[in-house]
């Protein structure tokens, strides 16, 4: 289970960007950056939490997705979807 969370947090972070933002070059870059950040954060948090014998589970996804959501308005070309759905419906 622990090894699977490396990719799971990254996939969730990338999908969160696809759901909440309108498709653009900026959202694609943010999606890739979110996946990398979630994997890096998982590595750091799993080490820190591991010293106490606790798993970090999806905390990296939650932190990265929240940070990505807060970037709206600060990155030119990055727009939130009016009604978040699947990425195909975000226009």
């Amino acid at each position: 289970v622990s090894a699977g969370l490396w990719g799971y947090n990254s996939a969730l972070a990338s999908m969160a960007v696809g759901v909440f933002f309108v498709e653009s070059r900026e959202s694609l870059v943010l999606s890739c950056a979110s996946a990398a950040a979630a994997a890096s954060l998982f590595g750091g948090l799993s080490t820190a939490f591991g010293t106490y014998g606790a798993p970090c589970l999806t905390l990296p996804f939650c932190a990265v997705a929240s940070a990505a959501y807060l970037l709206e308005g600060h990155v030119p070309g990055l727009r939130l979807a009016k009604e978040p759905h699947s990425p195909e419906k975000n226009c």
Side-chain angles (χ1 to χ4, degrees), residues 30-47:
L30 180 59
S31 178
C32 294
S34 294
S40 299
L41 191 57
F42 179 77
L45 286 177
S46 62
T47 302

Side-chain angles (χ1 to χ4, degrees), residues 10-11 51:
S10 297
T51 60

